[in-house]
Amino acid sequence: MSLSFTDLESLYQLPFNDLIKQAHEVYKLHHAVNTIHLCGSLSIKTGNCPEDCAYCSQSVHYKTYVSKEALLDTSDVLKIVLYAKTLGVTHFCLGAAWSYVPKGSAFQKVLEMVRKVYSTGLQVCCSLGSISENQTQALLEAGCTTYNYNLDTSPEFYPKIITTRTFDSRYQTLQIIRKSNLKISCGGILGMGESISDRLKLIYFISQLSPQPEMVPLNALVAIEGTPLNQEPFIDPLEYIRIVAIARIAMPRTIIAMAAGRYKMSFELQALAFFSGANAIYIGERILTTPTPDLNADLNMLAKLGMNAHEYNIDIRQ
């Protein structure tokens, strides 16, 4: 049974140690402890996005460091994917700065990329924007296992961050994806100036999907020069942990991923996040356009914590 919003508020009010202890007990009950899912990502089409997301370096509305790039060649994508596999990555996401998944030759090229990545033995994720039922089926047949479509924040805070689309339209698209056999990756961004209530509502709405998402990436805002949020301070570390813990309790079987912003987190903070239920990280040079920690630092961290890479193959619907 999913938790109510009132339940999440009550969890937030717990003393910090009590909250993370409860989250750890839930984690141990449903997952192999001391294991981590290693994920990779690549921006296959960068920049020139028509959306005005206030946090995004790829929006056409802002002048940032990100250069516009056309859809990559499949051969170039495959080289990066094969290298990621040597690092232990088992889940790889192909992301594109589109508002809607395109039709025609561009989509056919994406399908070919998916087939090639799937042929390497990796779990394939796509993050391509709003999608139709027919397109979800085509991706599934090509070998895509997961579709990433974030809610970003709460319904109330959403209009302050994005005006070119609505929270309701995002949620409706998630229902379309859920009707397919694609797994869902759905998360949000913490530290955009939202309230505690906004953060809890983000977790609440994600947890209300039925079945719950297979993966929830929790991003910490990376303030990017040129975007409206470029002056936002980095999220308070213990606040981030509280949301990780609440997400773990609200979605016991879901993989909770530490995503963008992790390169600004200390070793100790990441260790505490793992204890609180986070069990996936993105490794490599970037998560689409934002940096990730140094690869050797990540590998050393996991070794010091006695954590082992684990294949991403959990389907909570089974």
Side-chain angles (χ1 to χ4, degrees):
M1 180 182 294
S2 61
L3 300 182
S4 68
F5 180 69
T6 301
D7 292 332
L8 301 190
E9 290 181 308
S10 297
L11 285 172
Y12 188 85
Q13 295 304 318
L14 289 175
F16 182 79
N17 286 341
D18 292 347
L19 174 60
I20 65 171
K21 179 182 178 182
Q22 183 174 336
H24 185 71
E25 290 301 319
V26 172
Y27 172 44
K28 286 199 301 183
L29 186 61
H30 296 282
H31 299 269
V33 297
N34 298 319
T35 61
I36 197 78
H37 302 277
L38 299 182
C39 308
S41 73
L42 176 65
S43 179
I44 60 172
K45 181 269 178 185
T46 304
N48 207 33
C49 180
E51 306 284 8
D52 66 352
C53 308
Y55 54 79
C56 187
S57 62
Q58 300 196 64
S59 172
V60 72
H61 298 269
Y62 317 124
K63 293 182 179 180
T64 68
Y65 65 88
V66 172
S67 300
K68 302 173 186 176
E69 295 179 2
L71 193 59
L72 297 178
D73 290 333
T74 300
S75 59
D76 293 330
V77 171
L78 194 58
K79 290 177 184 177
I80 295 170
V81 167
L82 288 172
Y83 173 67
K85 187 176 181 180
T86 68
L87 304 178
V89 165
T90 60
H91 174 85
F92 199 95
C93 186
L94 305 174
W98 287 316
S99 179
Y100 295 88
V101 180
K103 299 178 181 179
S105 60
F107 186 53
Q108 293 304 313
K109 189 172 181 179
V110 170
L111 293 178
E112 179 60 20
M113 289 182 192
V114 171
R115 293 186 191 100
K116 292 292 186 181
V117 177
Y118 178 71
S119 71
T120 69
L122 295 184
Q123 299 277 315
V124 188
C125 174
C126 286
S127 182
L128 311 172
S130 299
I131 190 168
S132 68
E133 289 185 32
N134 290 339
Q135 288 170 325
T136 62
Q137 185 60 35
L139 283 173
L140 186 67
E141 291 174 357
C144 182
T145 54
T146 308
Y147 199 83
N148 171 258
Y149 199 73
N150 292 336
L151 282 179
D152 293 333
T153 188
S154 71
E156 292 81 4
F157 194 65
Y158 203 90
K160 298 178 182 179
I161 300 298
I162 305 162
T163 67
T164 49
R165 62 175 188 243
T166 66
F167 182 93
D168 287 343
S169 69
R170 299 288 286 184
Y171 209 74
Q172 290 167 7
T173 298
L174 284 168
Q175 305 301 328
I176 291 175
I177 300 167
R178 185 43 99 202
K179 289 178 182 178
S180 73
N181 285 320
L182 288 172
K183 299 177 185 181
I184 285 182
S185 170
C186 178
I189 305 173
L190 307 175
M192 298 189 291
E194 74 281 357
S195 67
I196 300 304
S197 179
D198 290 321
R199 293 171 185 170
L200 296 178
K201 284 184 179 179
L202 169 68
I203 300 302
Y204 172 73
F205 276 96
I206 294 173
S207 70
Q208 293 305 297
L209 290 168
S210 183
Q212 292 180 332
E214 284 74 21
M215 177 180 278
V216 171
L218 292 177
N219 301 278
L221 176 71
V222 176
I224 296 171
E225 186 176 353
T227 67
L229 298 182
N230 70 325
Q231 296 298 317
E232 286 293 331
F234 196 67
I235 188 171
D236 177 84
L238 296 189
E239 177 63 22
Y240 181 83
I241 297 298
R242 280 191 177 274
I243 300 304
V244 168
I246 289 171
R248 168 52 65 217
I249 296 168
M251 294 170 279
R253 295 180 176 85
T254 295
I255 294 171
I256 306 294
M258 298 176 70
R262 191 171 61 84
Y263 80 102
K264 301 187 72 171
M265 299 179 186
S266 68
F267 172 95
E268 294 79 7
L269 173 60
Q270 293 181 70
L272 197 54
F274 296 144
F275 181 86
S276 304
N279 57 341
I281 59 173
Y282 285 81
I283 67 170
E285 292 186 0
R286 293 180 178 275
I287 302 176
L288 301 185
T289 61
T290 58
T292 58
D294 176 78
L295 177 61
N296 288 329
D298 273 342
L299 297 179
N300 288 336
M301 174 181 68
L302 296 179
K304 286 182 180 180
L305 295 174
M307 302 190 76
N308 300 306
H310 187 69
E311 185 177 356
Y312 177 87
N313 59 5
I314 294 176
D315 188 339
I316 66 173
R317 288 171 285 180
Q318 295 178 354

